[in-house]
């Protein structure tokens, strides 16, 4: 368990599958994630989900996002971990819309970034977000990410953002001085 100010990050568990399936099959959330809606049944999804939990990938670390009261409200991950390059990609989804625009996403990203830079040797975290997803861009900028490029892929336009360990350390030092 990794505690933030408003959230806790914990390992994924089988009991998360119903929420995750509902969020992955929500057209609005899929649109924000630039992902196609899954066409598999919940039972098939559950079997795949159980397999992923049992055989986790060494290049992806997934977390459930919970409120301090224990409500599962979303997920975050860092993946595509390349220890040679010292980098990974970050992803987040607050699936429960009741928690949108209330700082939960920002706290989850900040908590995950702090975990990554304290617990790994990675030096760069990067992400992509849809050009139209200004809510996510605002969140990532609050967390210290800076834009570095654009990407067109599968008919979508993305803003690329990154955060380097040195920038993060500088931001941590400045926060302590305030």
């Amino acid at each position: 368990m990794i505690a933030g100010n408003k959230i806790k990050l914990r390992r994924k568990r089988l009991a998360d599958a119903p929420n995750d399936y509902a969020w992955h099959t929500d057209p609005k959330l899929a649109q924000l994630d630039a992902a196609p809606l899954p066409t598999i049944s919940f039972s098939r999804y559950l079997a795949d989900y159980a397999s992923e939990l049992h055989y986790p990938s060494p290049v992806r670390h997934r977390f459930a996002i919970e409120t301090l009261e224990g409500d599962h409200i979303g997920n975050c991950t860092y993946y595509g971990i390349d220890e040679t390059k010292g980098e990974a990609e970050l992803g987040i989804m607050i699936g429960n819309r009741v928690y949108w625009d209330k700082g939960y996403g920002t706290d989850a990203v900040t908590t995950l970034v702090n975990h990554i830079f304290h617990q790994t040797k990675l030096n760069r975290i990067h992400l992509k977000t849809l050009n139209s997803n200004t809510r996510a861009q605002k969140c990532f900028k609050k967390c210290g990410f800076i834009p570095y490029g654009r990407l067109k892929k599968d008919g979508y336009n993305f803003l690329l953002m990154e955060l380097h360990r040195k920038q993060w350390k500088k931001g941590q030092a400045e926060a302590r001085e305030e």
Side-chain angles (χ1 to χ4, degrees):
M1 182 96 42
I2 308 163
N5 295 320
K6 299 181 108 172
I7 59 89
K8 298 178 284 188
L9 302 180
R10 63 160 172 79
R11 288 185 182 197
K12 299 293 294 170
R13 53 186 178 222
L14 198 56
D16 297 333
N19 281 344
D20 288 352
Y21 184 77
W23 297 333
H24 282 105
T25 56
D26 179 317
K28 172 83 170 164
L29 293 175
Q31 184 181 32
L32 288 172
D33 206 23
L37 285 172
T39 57
I40 62 173
S41 68
F42 177 70
S43 59
R44 180 72 214 156
Y45 180 86
L46 188 60
D48 293 346
Y49 199 94
S51 179
E52 273 189 50
L53 290 175
H54 192 68
Y55 303 105
S57 168
V59 295
R60 180 175 62 201
H61 297 282
R62 298 173 31 184
F63 299 91
I65 303 168
E66 286 187 346
T67 64
L68 296 177
E69 296 75 35
D71 295 327
H72 178 216
I73 64 169
N75 301 299
C76 60
T77 185
Y78 64 104
Y79 59 99
I81 298 168
D82 185 329
E83 291 184 9
T84 303
K85 289 184 177 180
E87 63 185 33
E89 189 164 351
L90 182 141
I92 180 173
M93 179 196 324
I94 301 295
N96 186 330
R97 295 182 199 175
V98 170
Y99 295 92
W100 284 12
D101 298 319
K102 295 180 181 169
Y104 289 89
T106 299
D107 192 41
V109 171
T110 299
T111 302
L112 182 57
V113 165
N114 286 338
H115 171 75
I116 293 168
F117 285 142
H118 277 116
Q119 301 299 320
T120 75
K121 293 181 180 179
L122 299 177
N123 290 310
R124 177 178 176 258
I125 304 168
H126 59 96
L127 58 88
K128 64 183 174 293
T129 186
L130 288 169
N131 283 349
S132 59
N133 194 345
T134 56
R135 178 188 301 112
Q137 292 167 29
K138 182 179 172 185
C139 167
F140 297 134
K141 285 179 183 176
K142 276 189 203 176
C143 297
F145 284 83
I146 58 169
Y148 74 92
R150 302 219 177 255
L151 172 70
K152 288 185 178 190
K153 184 177 178 185
D154 300 327
Y156 295 101
N157 295 310
F158 295 95
L159 175 66
L160 305 175
M161 302 179 83
E162 65 185 352
L163 177 61
H164 291 266
R165 181 183 291 271
K166 287 180 184 178
Q167 294 167 305
W168 172 78
K169 280 185 177 180
K170 182 179 176 189
Q172 297 287 300
E174 288 170 358
R176 282 192 299 271
E177 290 174 8
E178 291 178 358

